Amino acid sequence: MENGAAKPVIVAIDGPSGTGKSSTSKAVAAQLGLSYLDTGAQYRAITWWMVTNGIDIEDPSAIAAVAGKPEIVSGTEPGNPTITVDGTDVAGPIRTQEVTSKVSAVSAVPEVRARITELQRSLARSAEIGIVVEGRDIGTTVLPDADLKIFLTASPEARAARRSGELKGADVNATREALIKRDTADSSRKTSPLAKAGDAVEVDTTELTLPQVIECVVTLVEEKRAGK
Ligand SMILES: Nc1ncnc2c1ncn2[C@@H]1O[C@H](COP(=O)(O)OP(=O)(O)OP(=O)(O)O)[C@@H](O)[C@H]1O
Ligand SMILES: Nc1ccn([C@H]2C[C@H](O)[C@@H](COP(=O)(O)O)O2)c(=O)n1
């Protein structure tokens, strides 16, 4: 850069549900002083708005017609990643079972993806030191020129065990089936499906602890910054 400041580093972290994207991305961003963007929260926020406003989730054209209406604002501080819709804090409501069961249908609508992708690119452009952006299509579509792309995986059993631990006693088999159903929907949609970018580094987290995954990603970012 002209004034000698380092070029912002852009890190894309993708993968299926429960592989550890959010926990890893937040910790890596905090450790390296970078911004953090949870793109799943943005798709959940627009889904919450559709549900709250009585939009028929089974009707893609009804969703497309109003996709531009809600104003979604994401805070990118890794210690406090906020999300509001039209000024209302929706951090809690976007995590309900109802939103989780409907988010794949809403996020498959091309007009929704175009809207949210624009927000994501604008936030990534404005990150002064750099940003860790996590989702499903970041490395393939949103930020194809990211400096580093990571694709996290884990067995469905490990992911279900992690999620049911989080949901305090939820049935592991039912959780596993719900995860697989959402992954299938997210991977098979026509517009920017969940996919590993050709130049992404795949990290299988099945047998790794969260601190081990964080350390692995921090090392990869530091190597990239050092030009290795
Ligand atoms: N390597 C790991 N070992 C054990 N538990 C983990 C590991 N990584 C993440 N977890 C735990 O698994 C749960 C899911 O992690 P997280 O929310 O980060 O996944 P995610 O990929 O962002 O999921 P989603 O896409 O559904 O938002 C959390 O409770 C987290 O603490
Ligand atoms: N880049 C993204 C991020 C998320 N989605 C959709 C698909 C997910 O099932 C849903 C919720 O994401 P989560 O909070 O579980 O990370 O949002 C997407 O299509 N593209």
Side-chain angles (χ1 to χ4, degrees), residues 39-40 43-44 95 103 107 113 135-137 182 186 189:
T39 64
Y43 285 104
R44 287 172 178 273
R95 304 287 164 191
V103 65
S107 60
R113 299 207 74 79
R136 304 291 193 288
D137 61 338
R182 192 145 61 94
D186 295 340
R189 66 172 175 244

Side-chain angles (χ1 to χ4, degrees), residues 184-206:
T184 305
D186 295 340
S187 314
S188 59
R189 66 172 175 244
K190 278 197 179 137
T191 312
S192 59
L194 158 66
K196 180 185 161 196
D199 52 350
V201 179
E202 184 166 331
V203 180
D204 183 347
T205 71
T206 308

Side-chain angles (χ1 to χ4, degrees), residues 210-228:
L210 181 56
Q212 286 173 326
V213 181
I214 295 165
E215 191 188 338
C216 167
V217 176
V218 165
T219 303
L220 288 168
V221 178
E222 282 174 339
E223 283 176 0
K224 197 43 91 169
R225 276 173 144 176
K228 287 187 198 159

Side-chain angles (χ1 to χ4, degrees), residues 14-26 36 38 40-41 44 95 100 134-136 152 154 158-159 161-167 179 182-183 205-214:
D14 291 300
S17 245
T19 51
K21 299 181 300 297
S22 300
S23 329
T24 304
S25 302
K26 249 185 274 185
Y36 159 70
D38 176 357
R44 287 172 178 273
R95 304 287 164 191
T100 301
E134 53 118 339
R136 304 291 193 288
L152 295 184
R159 298 191 280 131
R162 292 172 189 174
R163 275 272 175 256
S164 38
E166 219 177 31
L167 301 172
L179 280 176
R182 192 145 61 94
D183 290 346
T205 71
T206 308
E207 304 291 338
L208 301 178
T209 64
L210 181 56
Q212 286 173 326
V213 181
I214 295 165

Side-chain angles (χ1 to χ4, degrees), residues 7-209:
K7 181 179 163 280
V9 64
I10 307 285
V11 181
I13 302 193
D14 291 300
S17 245
T19 51
K21 299 181 300 297
S22 300
S23 329
T24 304
S25 302
K26 249 185 274 185
V28 169
Q31 217 167 304
L32 298 175
L34 306 177
S35 300
Y36 159 70
L37 179 61
D38 176 357
T39 64
Q42 296 176 311
Y43 285 104
R44 287 172 178 273
I46 198 164
T47 302
W48 173 85
W49 185 89
M50 298 284 167
V51 171
T52 305
N53 286 277
I55 309 301
D56 181 3
I57 301 300
E58 306 296 321
D59 181 356
S61 59
I63 294 172
V66 295
K69 287 198 170 181
E71 192 202 6
I72 296 167
V73 177
S74 299
T76 58
E77 167 58 44
N80 182 29
T82 55
I83 178 103
T84 63
V85 179
D86 298 331
T88 299
D89 176 0
V90 293
I94 62 170
R95 304 287 164 191
T96 60
Q97 191 47 44
E98 185 179 24
V99 169
T100 301
S101 66
K102 292 178 172 159
V103 65
S104 291
V106 173
S107 60
V109 176
E111 288 78 359
V112 168
R113 299 207 74 79
R115 174 91 202 290
I116 301 291
T117 297
E118 194 186 308
L119 288 178
Q120 293 162 355
R121 288 183 177 147
S122 152
L123 285 166
R125 269 196 304 272
S126 62
E128 282 178 18
I129 300 176
I131 189 165
V132 182
V133 184
E134 53 118 339
R136 304 291 193 288
D137 61 338
I138 310 305
T140 54
T141 306
V142 178
L143 301 167
D145 297 327
D147 299 292
L148 177 65
K149 300 177 187 177
I150 311 271
F151 195 79
L152 295 184
T153 63
S155 71
E157 290 69 30
R159 298 191 280 131
R162 292 172 189 174
R163 275 272 175 256
S164 38
E166 219 177 31
L167 301 172
K168 309 251 179 320
D171 178 69
V172 184
N173 285 330
T175 306
R176 182 178 171 277
E177 292 315 306
L179 280 176
I180 292 173
K181 189 175 169 202
R182 192 145 61 94
D183 290 346
T184 305
D186 295 340
S187 314
S188 59
R189 66 172 175 244
K190 278 197 179 137
T191 312
S192 59
L194 158 66
K196 180 185 161 196
D199 52 350
V201 179
E202 184 166 331
V203 180
D204 183 347
T205 71
T206 308
E207 304 291 338
L208 301 178
T209 64

